[in-house]
Amino acid sequence: MKIAILSCNTGGGHNTAAAAVSEVLTQRGHSCFICNALEFMPKTTAQVISKGHNFVYRHTPKLFGIGYRFEEKYQPSLFTEQSIKGALPLYEELQRQQVDAVLCVHLFPATMMTELRRNHGVTLPTWFVSTDFTCYPGVSELDVDGICMPHEELRSDFVAAGIPSPLLHATGIPVRQVFSRPMARSDARQALGIKGKKRVLVLGAGSMGAGPVREVAHTIVNLLGEDDLLITICGNNHRLKQQMDADFRNAERVQVLGFTKQMDLYMHAADLLITKAGGLTTSEALAAQVPLLYLDAVPGCETYNLDFLVSHGCALMCHDENDIAPLLMGILSGAIDPQTMVQRRTSFPIHSAETVCALLCHT
């Protein structure tokens, strides 16, 4: 089969999920390619959506949350109308590529495919993957052959939105296979050149480098022992990386990184991952079996991710940087055992990319 995987350049998570599915499809002898759905929209619209999303997410998270809640309540047609404008250009590309099926890891391309299937006679099998632990506004309007959910317990939310239960499959969120491959913590640390450390804490900022990373890092470093190490990962936020480099230039217990392609190793090496509640980061942590401490969530999808994991006892959370000190003191002193979070995760699908591919290839 030849499969189009349609993503969207609004943050790194959707592209990461697309790459995870592509990896498995290729291993199984299928042909696939990944497209950014924004490329098929009018250029100005695409730039506004991509750059606007990233700016608001990083710099004004409260405004991001207001916009998300508005979409939940009113389901405005603005984004739907803009997505539809890209439907026919997208179909021209799908015809040129002669694809057999389509997998959408973002709502925009799924909306385009819905337009093509309902109003232009397109019959290509189409699936949608939810990359957060919630039912997005607008998912109930999709015309697709199947919807991949992060967890079985979300089925009632999707059904309540009007989606027939037979269309729903609790696959989990696709992550690359390196996260779920067993690796001893000592081996991961040796591969990263940090062997000999007592405890390693990884502070992540997601692909966009969002959140109070700088403030939290200063709090954490004052709690570390001499043989402990804090690794901060700033993602694509170059300004944050420069600030962190300046702040911790002479700090032996702090290692500052920008974007990395070795996140799997850092998760396998960590005693604790401290991060925002992104859907892909969460799923990678679940697969790597690393304990999770969430920083305050960007209102919207991340709030649902945080609430779902914390309510299942699979992660801890702090509301702001002032909460992190007592929580970390409890973890570092042994009063809180973070491994209990890992032991409670048995209901979460791990090999999600493989499951999604199996469903897609049997369409």
Side-chain angles (χ1 to χ4, degrees):
M1 293 180 68
K2 186 170 187 179
I3 297 166
I5 305 175
L6 305 183
S7 185
C8 188
N9 285 354
T10 52
H14 305 289
N15 291 336
T16 300
V21 175
S22 175
E23 176 185 52
V24 176
L25 286 171
T26 302
Q27 289 174 354
R28 296 184 177 184
H30 300 287
S31 174
C32 60
F33 67 99
I34 299 172
C35 277
N36 169 24
L38 295 181
E39 293 179 358
F40 304 101
M41 295 184 186
K43 186 175 182 180
T44 301
T45 301
Q47 289 178 341
V48 169
I49 291 173
S50 180
K51 294 181 180 180
H53 173 278
N54 293 349
F55 180 88
V56 173
Y57 180 93
R58 182 184 291 179
H59 299 288
T60 58
K62 289 184 179 179
L63 181 59
F64 186 94
I66 291 172
Y68 191 89
R69 287 192 294 272
F70 182 84
E71 289 182 14
E72 285 185 308
K73 188 173 182 179
Y74 297 106
Q75 294 193 10
S77 59
L78 177 60
F79 287 140
T80 299
E81 292 171 357
Q82 297 305 317
S83 298
I84 287 174
K85 290 180 181 179
L88 290 178
L90 168 62
Y91 186 53
E92 290 176 3
E93 178 64 12
L94 297 179
Q95 285 184 307
R96 190 180 72 81
Q97 294 281 353
Q98 296 183 321
V99 302
D100 300 300
V102 175
L103 180 72
C104 302
V105 294
H106 192 281
L107 193 61
F108 285 168
T111 301
M112 293 179 188
M113 291 304 302
T114 295
E115 168 68 10
L116 293 172
R117 285 160 61 101
R118 284 182 178 166
N119 299 318
H120 297 277
V122 175
T123 58
L124 277 172
T126 302
W127 287 68
F128 173 72
V129 176
S130 175
T131 56
D132 288 289
F133 289 82
T134 184
C135 179
Y136 302 123
V139 170
S140 60
E141 303 300 318
L142 298 180
D143 181 356
V144 292
D145 296 286
I147 294 175
C148 299
M149 306 179 298
H151 196 281
E152 178 59 37
E153 289 185 24
L154 291 168
R155 182 178 296 273
S156 59
D157 293 344
F158 282 80
V159 171
I163 301 166
S165 185
L167 289 182
L168 300 170
H169 303 267
T171 62
I173 299 172
V175 301
R176 291 185 296 121
Q177 293 169 314
V178 288
F179 287 95
S180 58
R181 288 174 187 156
M183 174 176 274
R185 190 172 293 161
S186 57
D187 292 340
R189 293 181 182 182
Q190 184 171 4
L192 293 169
I194 55 174
K195 191 176 180 181
K197 298 297 180 181
K198 182 179 179 182
R199 288 171 297 206
V200 175
L201 278 61
V202 174
L203 174 60
S207 64
M208 289 187 283
V213 174
R214 193 178 178 191
E215 298 87 344
V216 169
H218 281 279
T219 300
I220 294 174
V221 73
N222 293 324
L223 302 175
L224 298 179
E226 291 185 2
D227 296 328
D228 297 334
L229 177 67
L230 171 65
I231 300 172
T232 64
I233 302 176
C234 302
N236 292 313
N237 192 333
H238 303 298
R239 184 170 181 270
L240 175 62
K241 172 69 161 55
Q242 291 173 347
Q243 292 172 332
M244 297 286 283
D245 282 335
D247 288 354
F248 299 104
R249 182 175 290 111
N250 300 315
E252 295 182 357
R253 289 173 291 176
V254 181
Q255 184 179 116
V256 179
L257 303 173
F259 179 80
T260 178
K261 293 183 178 181
Q262 295 182 299
M263 197 64 200
D264 58 298
L265 286 177
Y266 286 106
M267 286 194 185
H268 284 300
D271 294 282
L272 181 69
L273 174 65
I274 306 162
T275 185
K276 297 185 74 61
L280 262 295
T281 298
T282 294
S283 298
E284 289 169 349
L286 292 172
Q289 299 187 45
V290 59
L292 265 172
L293 172 58
Y294 284 134
L295 301 178
D296 60 320
V298 173
C301 298
E302 289 190 7
T303 303
Y304 290 107
N305 296 337
L306 186 153
D307 289 345
F308 194 84
L309 270 292
V310 171
S311 68
H312 284 75
C314 298
L316 297 173
M317 67 165 291
C318 55
H319 294 284
D320 55 44
E321 55 267 28
N322 297 321
D323 286 345
I324 197 167
L327 271 173
L328 273 181
M329 288 175 64
I331 292 171
L332 295 175
S333 68
I336 299 173
D337 181 6
Q339 285 300 319
T340 58
M341 293 186 277
V342 176
Q343 295 165 4
R344 297 188 186 110
R345 297 174 179 174
T346 54
S347 66
F348 287 78
I350 296 299
H351 302 288
S352 306
E354 291 88 339
T355 306
V356 169
C357 291
L359 287 168
L360 185 64
C361 295
H362 285 87
T363 297

